[in-house]
Amino acid sequence: MNRLASDFPLVSNGGAPSRRGRVRINVGGTVFETTSATLQNAGPSSLLVKSLPANVSDHDEIFFDRDPDTFKILLGILRTGKLTLEGPSLDKNNLIEEANYYGIVDSLAAAMAPRPLDGIDLQRSGNVFLSGRDPPSALCSATDGSLWVGHGSKISVFDWALRKQRTTLTQFNTVDSLHRLSESHVAAGAVDFPGMHIYDVYNGTHSKSLIWSDKNDTRVYKPSVHSICSSPTTLFASFENGQKMENTILLIDRVTLQVAGEVARQNGNSGHSKVATKLQWLPSYNLLMAIGIEGGAFGFSGYIRLWDLRQNNYIWEWKEPNILGDPRTVERDSFSDVTADDSHAGIFKVSVGTGNISMADLRHLKVQGPWIILTETNPKLAVATGGIDNKLLSYNKQLYCSHGGDLEVWSELPMASACLDLAEKEYWETSFRRNFVEHSRRHGGHEITHMEAGGNRLFVARKEMQGVEVWETAREVSNSI
């Protein structure tokens, strides 16, 4: 007996169908047979589960006037949790549309999700293309693998399947900073435009402006934003006034979006007191890391400070170059980028002159000379390239580093000591091994300008390239989507 899905009464929590009964589903004239247990994998709110009769009979048949080829793939996901193609490749947009109809988008997203990001087994899976002629100027991503891109005066949003959702026009000339606040809202800033601005990118509208102001200090004039990050409760934004002689970090409540205070205010009259160009929250330590990098005709200088907001003071500071310091810790080079990794309890920096990557143990910062230089023991891989634009990114217990147009990853060696608890672990110069991911010969030498990671995807933007590269761990099955 053929029955429309709407003919069956909704199943209440107390009247769940038998998980052992067989179910016949007619989709566009093609009959599929499965079990109610398999359909239960779709979740109680899905149309498939809601369409099950209260008492499953082998003679009952549910009818959906939809595409049977697509349903065959979706049913396979409910059976195995994996997404494989059988026959001609189907359009991804159509697959997601059908999954949305049946209410099993979450199951589809889980099946389509990349494997855990592994730098030693990366492959370029595709590109995200942008509208207009502007190259990417800022990137941010989410845990579901969605991507937000600032390019020129615009912000474009791509969902978990990297489908373009919307492009929002801003008042900036170039979006220099982006930070995702929710599925619909993002905080943005530019070094040449006053204030931090909140945008509703789903509706393409401007929601709020936040300005650093001080009635008692007339030098605070047209302050612009250089970096944004957040903790679960607080949004942090580094501001610099229009004359570049005063800077601070504002603390903003994430719920009310009201300014709650400020830290790290300084006059900016030297390289070691310039605005923080990068902020990073360290959740395991409840610390805010502020990095300032200043460069010019006479070289580069920079600082790293770890702020304890409960004390309203920094608990550790490192400056480069520090040629006037202790002779045992003299560092005449300076860093071009810094990142921290809670999982390794480490701060990593890459040098401008040598290109060396060094690590400082967050548990032993008070020692003289806290840095160790990561050393590659394989002479064929023991090369380093300096540069002012080298970038660092930590994700999934690995460290990604760009040298011009080259991309490499440093991974902890799988020795017995690597399996110890972090409290018992010690790091040495040879604890990490380098692997080259991409060489500049393959893309014409365009240097990497931005790196971001989320949802087990690595996103890479290059100079003068109007798109974003997407890197994922190589898939095990060749015919998977």
Side-chain angles (χ1 to χ4, degrees):
M1 177 176 60
N2 290 337
R3 303 178 68 181
L4 294 172
S6 58
D7 291 339
F8 291 111
L10 296 181
V11 179
S12 65
N13 292 335
S18 169
R19 295 183 61 86
R20 292 174 294 179
R22 292 193 299 177
V23 181
R24 291 168 61 87
I25 304 175
N26 188 327
V27 181
T30 301
V31 178
F32 299 87
E33 188 166 336
T34 186
T35 65
S36 59
T38 296
L39 296 183
Q40 291 286 344
N41 293 331
S45 62
S46 69
L47 178 61
L48 294 175
V49 171
K50 290 181 177 179
S51 300
L52 285 173
N55 297 305
V56 177
S57 168
D58 291 346
H59 301 291
D60 286 328
E61 186 176 282
I62 307 171
F63 179 77
F64 295 104
D65 189 17
R66 307 294 291 190
D67 176 33
D69 293 332
T70 307
F71 182 79
K72 182 178 181 180
I73 295 177
L74 296 176
L75 183 59
I77 292 174
L78 298 180
R79 286 171 171 159
T80 66
K82 298 180 180 180
L83 178 60
T84 56
L85 287 178
E86 297 180 11
S89 176
L90 294 180
D91 180 75
K92 181 171 64 175
N93 291 329
N94 181 57
L95 191 63
I96 296 173
E97 181 181 344
E98 290 295 290
N100 186 61
Y101 171 80
Y102 294 112
I104 58 173
V105 172
D106 290 344
S107 298
L108 175 63
M112 293 180 64
R115 296 168 57 199
L117 194 66
D118 186 353
I120 64 174
D121 197 19
L122 277 187
Q123 67 178 11
R124 185 168 163 180
S125 61
N127 294 276
V128 169
F129 297 103
L130 307 171
S131 59
R133 302 176 61 183
D134 301 297
S137 54
L139 304 177
C140 65
S141 61
T143 55
D144 64 354
S146 57
L147 177 66
W148 308 47
V149 185
H151 51 114
S153 59
K154 303 174 288 296
I155 301 173
S156 291
V157 180
F158 300 83
D159 68 6
W160 60 269
L162 298 182
R163 299 178 303 164
K164 188 174 182 179
Q165 299 300 292
R166 188 184 179 104
T167 296
T168 299
L169 185 66
T170 73
Q171 62 264 60
F172 306 120
N173 293 322
T174 300
V175 178
D176 295 311
S177 300
L178 270 184
H179 187 75
R180 180 183 183 273
L181 300 177
S182 66
E183 291 185 359
S184 59
H185 287 76
V186 66
V191 297
D192 60 353
F193 194 93
M196 183 179 71
H197 301 268
I198 311 298
Y199 290 91
D200 180 344
V201 291
Y202 274 12
N203 296 310
T205 57
H206 180 273
S207 299
K208 189 179 181 68
S209 297
L210 292 163
I211 303 291
W212 172 37
S213 61
D214 189 340
K215 296 179 180 179
N216 300 319
D217 192 341
T218 58
R219 294 174 298 176
V220 180
Y221 175 71
K222 290 185 176 181
S224 60
V225 170
H226 286 249
S227 183
I228 309 170
C229 79
S230 70
S231 71
T233 60
T234 307
L235 185 66
F236 308 101
S238 62
F239 279 84
E240 183 180 49
N241 72 344
Q243 291 79 25
K244 302 185 184 302
M245 293 300 294
E246 196 82 7
N247 60 81
T248 192
I249 299 174
L250 287 191
L251 281 58
I252 302 158
D253 187 279
R254 284 198 60 157
V255 177
T256 63
L257 292 180
Q258 298 295 322
V259 176
E262 66 176 279
V263 295
R265 186 162 179 173
Q266 50 191 358
N267 58 26
N269 59 3
S270 70
H272 291 152
S273 61
K274 293 294 186 181
V275 63
T277 54
K278 185 175 183 178
L279 300 173
Q280 184 177 348
W281 177 252
L282 309 184
S284 298
Y285 297 87
N286 286 319
L287 297 174
L288 176 66
M289 184 171 69
I291 302 108
I293 301 173
E294 180 73 12
F298 297 100
F300 281 76
S301 61
Y303 64 83
I304 307 169
R305 297 189 183 109
L306 296 179
W307 286 86
D308 186 339
L309 302 181
R310 295 164 297 186
Q311 301 179 19
N312 196 29
N313 200 356
Y314 59 85
I315 62 170
W316 182 77
E317 179 184 47
W318 181 262
K319 299 178 181 179
E320 291 185 1
N322 62 350
I323 56 176
L324 300 180
D326 191 314
R328 293 170 294 179
T329 61
V330 164
E331 177 58 74
R332 291 178 172 81
D333 201 354
S334 186
F335 48 78
S336 59
D337 199 12
V338 178
T339 191
D341 185 353
D342 275 13
S343 63
H344 285 123
I347 300 175
F348 298 88
K349 65 184 179 77
V350 56
S351 298
V352 173
T354 63
N356 288 330
I357 298 176
S358 302
M359 175 185 178
D361 195 322
L362 281 162
R363 302 163 300 175
H364 308 299
L365 292 176
K366 300 300 184 180
V367 301
Q368 288 285 352
W371 300 98
I372 59 173
I373 298 177
L374 302 189
T375 303
E376 173 55 61
T377 56
N378 185 344
K380 295 182 179 179
L381 300 178
V383 295
T385 305
I388 61 175
D389 295 316
N390 292 344
K391 306 295 181 185
L392 286 177
L393 172 71
S394 62
Y395 185 81
N396 198 23
K397 297 185 177 181
Q398 292 182 316
L399 181 69
Y400 296 86
C401 180
S402 70
H403 292 286
D406 297 339
L407 177 62
E408 64 186 41
V409 61
W410 289 79
S411 309
E412 186 178 1
L413 286 172
M415 306 294 288
S417 58
C419 300
L420 296 175
D421 291 338
L422 187 59
E424 304 175 9
K425 188 182 297 186
E426 293 294 336
Y427 293 104
W428 309 93
E429 289 84 349
T430 56
S431 294
F432 293 80
R433 174 61 57 87
R434 169 193 277 131
N435 181 65
F436 291 104
V437 178
E438 175 78 329
H439 195 281
S440 58
R441 289 195 299 265
R442 297 180 57 184
H443 48 73
H446 293 279
E447 68 183 40
I448 294 173
T449 57
H450 299 84
M451 292 191 296
E452 181 67 28
N456 289 314
R457 291 181 174 128
L458 174 67
F459 301 102
V460 176
R462 297 183 184 275
K463 186 176 181 180
E464 300 177 352
M465 301 296 286
Q466 295 170 262
V468 180
E469 298 173 6
V470 183
W471 291 78
E472 300 175 356
T473 301
R475 293 186 177 272
E476 295 177 342
V477 182
S478 61
N479 64 341
S480 297
I481 290 182

